[in-house]
Amino acid sequence: PELGKKLVKDYSWGHIDVLINNAGILLDDSWQEFEKTFLTNSIAPYFLTKELFPLLRKSPAPKAVFISSMMG
């Protein structure tokens, strides 16, 4: 969440037309590695989009794209 807040604070163009979430990792089978994978692939894009949503709403035609793969 901190990165998203910093992006909003430092952003100077007024709006974002397109946000592309393309983060993905696949780690080992341990619970800790699963948790890291889930945080990177699912939770991080959610929080980034949540923080940048006010800038997206200012665009005349905003788009949010979420890219995923079966391998991370």
Side-chain angles (χ1 to χ4, degrees):
E2 295 305 314
L3 175 60
K5 289 177 185 176
K6 181 173 176 16
L7 287 172
V8 170
K9 183 181 144 217
D10 294 346
Y11 196 75
S12 62
W13 290 333
H15 70 275
I16 295 175
D17 293 320
V18 179
L19 171 62
I20 300 174
N21 285 295
N22 188 31
I25 59 171
L26 179 63
L27 301 171
D28 297 330
D29 291 335
S30 70
W31 179 254
Q32 291 81 14
E33 298 301 309
F34 169 78
E35 187 175 35
K36 288 178 190 175
T37 299
F38 187 73
L39 286 171
T40 300
N41 296 350
S42 299
I43 304 300
Y46 166 79
F47 279 110
L48 181 61
T49 303
K50 181 180 174 187
E51 292 298 328
L52 296 179
F53 193 71
L55 293 173
L56 280 167
R57 288 187 66 191
K58 292 178 181 179
S59 173
K63 305 282 187 281
V65 179
F66 296 85
I67 300 172
S68 64
S69 73
M70 293 181 64
M71 295 306 292

